[in-house]
Amino acid sequence: MSNCNTTCNERVCIQAKKVIDACLKQFTDSQVEVILTTVSPPGPTLPLTFVSGRSTAAHGIIEDLVVTRLPDRPRYGRVQGTVIIPLEIRYTDATGAEGSGEGEVDIPFDIIMRLPEASIIPYQIEAQISAVCPSGEFQTTTAIVVTQEEYIFIVDACISIIFKVVVETLLLIPSYGYPQIPPCQDYAADVCSGVFELPLFPTAP
């Protein structure tokens, strides 16, 4: 893979996010209200029938973040806030036409994480997310359209969140040279596959 021999001892400085701490939070959230602010195609015929739902981004938006260092554990802190998870809900309307809409789920959190010492470059709290909605229903009684383009679903969500404490750093690492990149192999369907394998002349009866 490399064009450098075993005596290569070059050192390279790279810019990367160093993960100080990480933890996984998985849970099922039932009866979650999701308001669709945009739908495609517009103007579906009510009522709507839930088909599926899942998150549309790899990272959530963290709001109202509060970090408090613990007096008895100075290298750790209490991390509080809310993770905003964007969702896409797929449905069919009363005519059987398929459609989808965009909404979001707000997930509050209150956890303990290891924090780095004070430095000029600040650390950040990130949330890597995944949400799947296996079931749900349209609010036919209260969700006659809230506004011209708002529709409400109540869903069950299977949620996974990886919380990370990261710092943007410069790291000095040993290098073994540049990798050798092989050429791409073009895809080509062999339309004659199975034909050329046949015998040239038919066998005698």
Side-chain angles (χ1 to χ4, degrees):
M1 285 293 295
S2 171
N3 60 5
C4 182
N5 58 35
T6 56
T7 61
C8 182
N9 58 359
E10 178 186 16
R11 290 180 294 174
V12 175
C13 183
I14 64 171
Q15 182 174 340
K17 285 184 179 180
K18 183 178 181 180
V19 179
I20 305 299
D21 193 15
C23 63
L24 172 63
K25 189 176 182 68
Q26 288 183 307
F27 58 96
T28 300
D29 206 349
S30 302
Q31 300 297 300
V32 179
E33 183 179 86
V34 180
I35 300 177
L36 305 186
T37 54
T38 59
V39 293
S40 177
T45 303
L46 303 183
L48 307 179
T49 301
F50 177 88
V51 175
S52 66
R54 67 179 308 111
S55 53
T56 59
H59 291 84
I61 300 172
I62 296 181
E63 294 185 348
D64 304 324
L65 179 65
V66 177
V67 179
T68 307
R69 288 191 180 267
L70 302 178
D72 55 336
R73 301 171 66 185
R75 300 192 64 179
Y76 290 82
R78 181 182 180 184
V79 183
Q80 303 168 271
T82 302
V83 179
I84 310 299
I85 301 178
L87 289 176
E88 179 188 55
I89 301 296
R90 294 188 172 274
Y91 57 81
T92 57
D93 70 2
T95 67
E98 297 182 353
S100 63
E102 301 291 333
E104 61 184 30
V105 174
D106 299 349
I107 305 297
F109 63 91
D110 189 350
I111 58 178
I112 294 177
M113 302 194 75
R114 187 163 64 92
L115 305 176
E117 299 295 335
S119 62
I120 295 176
I121 305 299
Y123 64 85
Q124 296 177 319
I125 307 296
E126 294 185 352
Q128 191 170 350
I129 58 171
S130 173
V132 177
C133 304
S135 60
E137 61 180 14
F138 181 62
Q139 284 289 84
T140 54
T141 55
T142 60
I144 308 292
V145 186
V146 177
T147 67
Q148 196 64 24
E149 293 187 353
E150 286 191 349
Y151 305 86
I152 299 178
F153 280 86
I154 301 298
V155 302
D156 296 326
C158 306
I159 298 173
S160 299
I161 306 176
I162 300 176
F163 292 97
K164 292 184 286 187
V165 180
V166 300
V167 179
E168 195 78 27
T169 60
L170 298 176
L171 298 176
L172 194 62
I173 62 173
S175 170
Y176 299 96
Y178 297 107
Q180 295 181 353
I181 308 297
C184 294
Q185 181 178 355
D186 293 332
Y187 173 79
D190 189 356
V191 297
C192 296
S193 178
V195 176
F196 292 154
E197 286 77 11
L198 295 174
L200 187 57
F201 300 104
T203 57

